[in-house]
């Protein structure tokens, strides 16, 4: 597909079309297909000899290392969830919690704490929290929408605040060489100093705790979903389509197997955490996907030793892969629309529209808003970081005379927080998709119920950046 630097207002049409149709039709896959086809027509593909613009888009956007990584990670997690269920580990763990008769409040707070603990991977966290807590929250009559919200709001928002994650390393790398940020140590110092100014993820994580504890009452569509779950016992609305295969939601434990929660659940999770953190410390890159592959192999051997027949183990593995397919399909189309947005210059257009509003006092707030819109339209926080950071930081240093001032630190944080905010609201985001998958929630229902909470935190973040801007400029 040809490289079109900037198509003006037309560049936002595919993303806007995908988002609007998703809400109207409640079918995200069809909406994304229509948006992708529309985008290929706008760019001229299909009109000048290339009648297969959409397949070409799929080939170019899916044949990348990034998509291969998220696809494999999603597949391995699907296999592990299937293994956890076939060995009876999740059922046994859930039963232990069930025996404690957790209240609705207790179930929500447990999911919140679990999500914060699994901070090293924003991809694993929502899948893990949703899969582990689903039966527990179902029993407590907590809606799947609420579980998806908790899982989503403790994934990327927590990951972007921690200095020992891939998010931190990526953001630090983008800052090196800008202004007085010369070395990796300078970038690390900037990241640490920016954490208190990263308002959106801080507010998002705190709000989950306040909502889960009942200090802040549910509002908007989530209030309706929770009322349905409490009064009718329906954790999903009538007609909802959970974003997960039945292979993972209806799998039973192998008959006669002895539940070994530590061996078949806790130990594999500890192995993943240990490998991810150790490789990050020693290699400056958390090998999360490799950790999952290692644990899949470990559990395959372990299940055979526990006398589960080889055919049963392979059938379980296959079911895990099948269960992950709905999410992989949606991620594939989301990656395609993101690639199309990049080709059409969506980010360039959004930035060009905002340039006339910049001033030292308004800079952090404007940067946050621009990053949010960009991430929402593209569904990619990391793509937003890559585009916004090289523009936002030099502007901040220019306004600060080259010194590392509060405005610079807040602007760095605004890019990070804005990317997470937009990504958090977007139905095109991979973490939003994975949260719906892990929680077995209808995807659009998850987006609709989470959006008001995200907007509240986003609005508070804008106010905070305005205060910082006007008191520091």
């Amino acid at each position: 597909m040809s490289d079109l630097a900037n198509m003006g207002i037309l560049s936002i049409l595919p993303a806007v079309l995908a988002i609007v149709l998703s809400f109207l039709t409640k079918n995200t896959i069809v909406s994304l297909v229509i948006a992708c086809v529309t985008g290929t027509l706008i760019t001229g593909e299909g009109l000048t000899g290339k009648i297969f613009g959409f397949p070409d888009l799929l080939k170019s956007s899916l044949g990348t290392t990034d998509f291969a990584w998220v696809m494999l990670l999603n597949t391995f997690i699907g296999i592990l969830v299937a293994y956890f269920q076939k060995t009876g580990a999740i059922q046994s763990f859930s039963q232990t919690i069930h025996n404690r008769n957790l209240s609705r409040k207790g179930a929500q707070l447990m999911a919140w704490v679990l999500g914060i603990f699994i901070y090293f991977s924003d991809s694993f966290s929502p899948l893990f929290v949703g899969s582990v807590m689903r039966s527990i929250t179902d029993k407590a009559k907590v809606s799947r929408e609420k579980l998806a919200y908790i899982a989503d709001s403790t994934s990327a928002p927590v990951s972007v605040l921690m200095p020992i994650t891939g998010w931190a390393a990526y953001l630090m790398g983008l800052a090196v060489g800008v202004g007085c940020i010369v070395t990796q140590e300078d970038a690390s110092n900037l990241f640490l100093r920016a954490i208190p100014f990263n308002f959106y993820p801080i507010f998002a994580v705190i709000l989950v705790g306040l909502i889960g504890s009942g200090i802040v009452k549910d509002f908007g569509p989530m209030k309706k979903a929770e009322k349905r779950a409490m009064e009718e016992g329906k954790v999903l609305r009538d007609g909802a389509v959970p974003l997960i295969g039945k292979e993972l939601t209806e799998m039973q434990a192998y008959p006669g197997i002895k539940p070994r929660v530590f061996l078949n659940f806790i130990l594999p999770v500890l192995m993943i955490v240990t490998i991810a953190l150790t490789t990050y410390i020693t290699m400056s890159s958390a090998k999360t996907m490799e950790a999952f592959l290692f644990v899949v192999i470990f559990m395959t051997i372990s299940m055979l030793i526990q006398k589960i027949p080889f055919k049963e183990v392979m059938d379980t593995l296959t079911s895990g892969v099948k269960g992950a397919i709905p999410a992989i399909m949606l991620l594939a189309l989301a990656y395609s629309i993101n690639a199309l947005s990049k080709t059409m210059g969506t980010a360039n257009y959004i930035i060009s529209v905002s340039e006339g509003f910049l001033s030292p006092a308004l800079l952090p707030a404007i940067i946050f808003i621009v990053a949010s819109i960009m991430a929402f339209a593209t569904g990619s926080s990391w793509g937003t970081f890559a585009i916004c950071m090289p523009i936002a930081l030099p502007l901040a240093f220019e306004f600060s005379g080259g010194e590392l001032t509060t405005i610079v630190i807040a602007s760095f944080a605004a890019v990070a927080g804005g990317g997470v905010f937009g990504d958090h609201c977007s139905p095109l985001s991979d973490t939003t998709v994975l949260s719906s998958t892990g929680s077995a929630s209808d995807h659009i229902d998850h987006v609709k119920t989470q959006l008001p909470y995200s907007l509240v935190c986003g609005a508070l973040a804008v106010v905070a950046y305005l205060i910082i801007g006007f008191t520091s400029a």
Side-chain angles (χ1 to χ4, degrees), residues 114-291:
L114 196 60
I116 292 173
F117 173 71
I118 309 294
Y119 65 84
F120 60 89
S121 170
D122 64 300
S123 298
F124 175 51
S125 179
L127 284 167
F128 178 78
V129 173
S131 300
V132 171
M133 294 299 301
R134 194 188 311 132
S135 62
I136 298 169
T137 53
D138 281 358
K139 182 183 178 183
K141 294 185 179 180
V142 175
S143 67
R144 294 280 178 83
E145 293 95 324
K146 173 63 78 63
L147 177 58
Y149 160 65
I150 296 172
D152 205 350
S153 299
T154 52
S155 54
V158 176
S159 295
V160 81
L161 290 172
M162 296 295 179
I164 55 171
T165 64
W167 289 68
Y170 184 62
L171 286 165
M172 290 177 201
L174 292 174
V176 173
V178 181
C180 63
I181 310 300
V182 179
T183 66
Q184 187 66 33
E185 288 72 20
D186 294 333
S188 179
N189 177 57
L190 172 61
F191 183 91
L192 291 172
R193 293 181 63 180
I195 291 174
F197 296 93
N198 205 346
F199 297 117
Y200 176 77
I202 292 173
F203 293 156
V205 174
I206 291 174
L207 183 60
V208 175
L210 295 176
I211 292 284
S213 63
I215 295 174
V216 173
K217 302 299 181 183
D218 286 306
F219 54 90
M222 187 71 81
K223 182 178 180 180
K224 182 179 178 181
E226 286 291 86
K227 183 178 180 181
R228 180 201 69 227
M230 285 187 288
E231 297 181 357
E232 302 177 39
K234 296 179 179 178
V235 294
L236 288 165
R237 66 170 173 83
D238 293 333
V241 181
L243 190 62
I244 191 172
K246 291 182 179 179
E247 292 82 1
L248 294 185
T249 58
E250 299 179 0
M251 179 173 292
Q252 300 299 315
Y254 183 71
I257 188 169
K258 181 181 179 182
R260 295 179 172 89
V261 176
F262 179 79
L263 175 63
N264 295 321
F265 182 61
I266 296 176
L267 179 60
V269 172
L270 289 176
M271 290 169 69
I272 292 168
V273 173
T274 301
I275 293 171
L277 290 179
T278 302
T279 52
Y280 179 83
I281 293 170
T282 59
M283 304 170 66
S284 300
S285 176
K287 301 298 182 182
T288 310
M289 192 263 286
E290 291 81 354

Side-chain angles (χ1 to χ4, degrees), residues 380-401:
S380 172
S381 51
W382 283 39
T384 297
F385 299 156
I387 294 167
C388 275
M389 196 65 79
I391 297 171
L393 269 189
L395 275 172
F397 274 116
E398 184 178 336
F399 284 132
S400 68

Side-chain angles (χ1 to χ4, degrees), residues 1 16 24 47 55 108 117 137 156 218 221 239 244 273 307 323 341 370 397 442:
M1 189 172 288
V16 171
L24 291 178
L47 299 180
Q108 292 176 66
F117 173 71
T137 53
D218 286 306
I244 191 172
V273 173
K307 296 185 171 24
S341 295
V370 170
F397 274 116
D442 183 284

